[in-house]
Amino acid sequence: MPTPPPPLVARLVAQGCTGDPESPLDGFRVDESVALARHFAALAAERRPAANDALVETMLAVATASLARYAHPTPLACKKGCSHCCFQHVSVHAPEVFRIARLLRASGEGAAAAPRLTARLAARQPDPGGTGRMSNPCGFLLKGACGIHEIRPLICRVYVSFDAHACLVQLAQGVSEIPHPAFNVLFRNWMAMALKAACAAAGLPVRDYELTSALSGVLADPGLEARWYAGDDGLAALSGPLDRVGEAVHAGIDEWRRMADI
């Protein structure tokens, strides 16, 4: 009797992903992420805004193409006005923060966004246990919709649901199993590790940052970006325990650097 595929692989196949269940890494294109890690590392090593934005734009373009490969078994419940997921802790990468801040300034929306973010941060309910409680709205949630939808970070693009009611229960009670496309989580992990490995190879800080806090800081102090390129992680003070990178992630970064030879 053949050995059944691991639960995650079986779930991916059931949700329409293509590939060989006996060889999930090849079948689900982790090799492409390794190649991207090399490309990201070259861009990160330039330590300048244009290269930073090229890195993020490549990552988002690959996300759009890769996520479109796989058909969902049922339609996604996500739509404009459905903002149940916009009250939780959102961890993002520094290159994403810098690009979003730059685009907000270029559009003239940065001046309006800065005081709103400051006000949202001041009104936040404390979370001393670092549980990521769903009680604080994202700084860009405006009238039930995302104010930066076109330039939103990767995590907001892959965090989707098949059941809006389950999302509402999680928001109201803090407990719910959100039915979601398994491939999205796997893909986001690949991209996160590729980006972190690239930053490590370039000698840049390796960690995540809370979206509202980090963007508030960068909009208030544009010099944070240049200092981050120089290795001075002023953004770290604006984030919390949920954004720290643990030993397991550091071990994963080392493995990705070996695979990508960076």
Side-chain angles (χ1 to χ4, degrees):
M1 177 179 294
T3 302
L8 176 59
V9 175
R11 185 175 173 187
L12 289 167
V13 173
Q15 292 187 351
C17 297
T18 58
D20 179 3
E22 298 300 323
S23 182
L25 292 185
D26 290 337
F28 299 118
R29 314 295 180 89
V30 71
D31 55 313
E32 295 176 358
S33 298
V34 172
L36 276 174
R38 299 189 188 105
H39 180 60
F40 290 168
L43 291 170
E46 294 187 32
R47 300 170 182 263
R48 62 189 183 91
N52 175 91
D53 293 358
L55 188 162
V56 177
E57 287 158 11
T58 299
M59 181 174 69
L60 297 181
V62 170
T64 298
S66 296
L67 297 177
R69 286 175 178 162
Y70 304 109
H72 300 309
T74 57
L76 294 176
C78 307
K79 59 183 179 181
K80 186 175 182 179
C82 176
S83 58
H84 308 321
C85 63
C86 301
F87 289 79
Q88 62 186 307
H89 186 100
V90 178
S91 290
V92 296
H93 309 294
E96 294 180 290
V97 173
F98 299 140
R99 177 177 176 266
I100 293 172
R102 196 167 1 267
L103 291 173
L104 287 173
R105 292 194 200 99
S107 68
E109 296 178 12
R116 184 178 68 251
L117 297 181
T118 300
R120 286 277 174 90
L121 291 171
R124 277 190 168 178
Q125 297 183 36
D127 183 18
T131 61
R133 58 188 294 178
M134 297 185 70
S135 56
N136 297 305
C138 173
F140 294 97
L141 181 60
L142 305 173
K143 297 181 179 179
C146 177
I148 56 169
H149 189 264
E150 292 301 317
I151 58 174
R152 67 196 187 282
L154 178 64
I155 184 64
C156 299
R157 296 166 190 257
V158 301
Y159 194 89
V160 294
S161 169
F162 294 128
D163 186 348
H165 178 72
C167 299
L168 180 60
V169 171
Q170 185 183 63
L171 173 61
Q173 302 178 7
V175 289
S176 180
E177 177 66 27
I178 305 298
H180 60 274
F183 178 76
N184 287 35
V185 177
L186 191 60
F187 175 81
R188 197 261 174 171
N189 290 342
W190 290 343
M191 288 292 97
M193 292 307 298
L195 181 54
K196 284 182 171 64
C199 287
L204 296 171
V206 178
R207 66 164 297 155
D208 295 324
Y209 308 90
E210 196 280 319
L211 177 63
T212 300
S213 298
L215 269 169
S216 177
V218 174
L219 287 172
D221 180 4
L224 276 173
E225 181 174 6
R227 296 197 296 275
W228 189 84
Y229 294 144
D232 177 9
D233 192 7
L235 285 174
L238 303 173
S239 294
L242 290 175
D243 305 304
R244 293 173 187 155
V245 174
E247 293 182 6
V249 175
H250 280 294
I253 290 170
D254 292 339
E255 178 62 21
W256 275 77
R257 290 187 65 183
R258 285 193 291 272
M259 288 192 297
D261 193 24
I262 54 176

